[in-house]
Amino acid sequence: MTLHILTHHRTLVMYITSTKENSMGVGDKADNQFEDLGGKAKEGVGKATGDESLEREGQGDQLSAKAKKVGESAKDFAKDAGDKAKDLFNKK
C-alpha cells in the first residue's frame, strides 16, 4: 500500500492505493474503493483550486476503479455460474 498526500494552497488530501497485483479478493475490492475515493478527492481539489489537470486525473482514477469493479463483477458471476454447474453435475 502507498499513502499519497496532495497539497494545494491550504488543502490537504490523503489517500491510499495498493501496489500489489494478484487475483481479485476482498483486499483488491477495498483498494479499488480507495482508488475511487482518492479520485473523487483529486477531482474535488482540482475543481476547488482551478487545477484542470488534477481534476481530470481524479476523473481518470474514478473511471479506472469503476472498470475494475465491472471486471470483479464479471469474475464473480463466472465463478458463481461455474460453481452452480459443478453442483448440478455432481448431483446426477
Side-chain angles (χ1 to χ4, degrees):
M1 297 229 154
T2 304
L3 174 65
H4 300 269
I5 301 173
L6 300 172
T7 58
H8 193 279
H9 298 289
R10 294 184 179 192
T11 306
L12 171 68
V13 176
M14 296 187 301
Y15 65 99
I16 300 170
T17 58
S18 175
T19 55
K20 64 179 181 168
E21 295 291 328
N22 58 13
S23 62
M24 288 294 175
V26 175
D28 295 309
K29 291 177 182 180
D31 289 343
N32 293 340
Q33 185 66 31
F34 279 123
E35 182 177 14
D36 183 49
L37 292 172
K40 287 178 182 177
K42 282 183 184 179
E43 182 182 11
V45 170
K47 282 182 182 179
T49 61
D51 186 340
E52 292 179 4
S53 176
L54 185 60
E55 186 177 347
R56 283 191 304 272
E57 185 179 337
Q59 292 168 346
D61 289 351
Q62 290 173 71
L63 184 59
S64 173
K66 287 177 186 174
K68 290 175 186 176
K69 186 175 181 180
V70 168
E72 291 168 14
S73 296
K75 181 181 174 187
D76 291 344
F77 178 81
K79 182 182 180 313
D80 290 345
D83 290 345
K84 288 178 184 178
K86 281 183 196 176
D87 290 344
L88 287 173
F89 182 76
N90 289 331
K91 287 183 180 178
K92 292 184 177 187

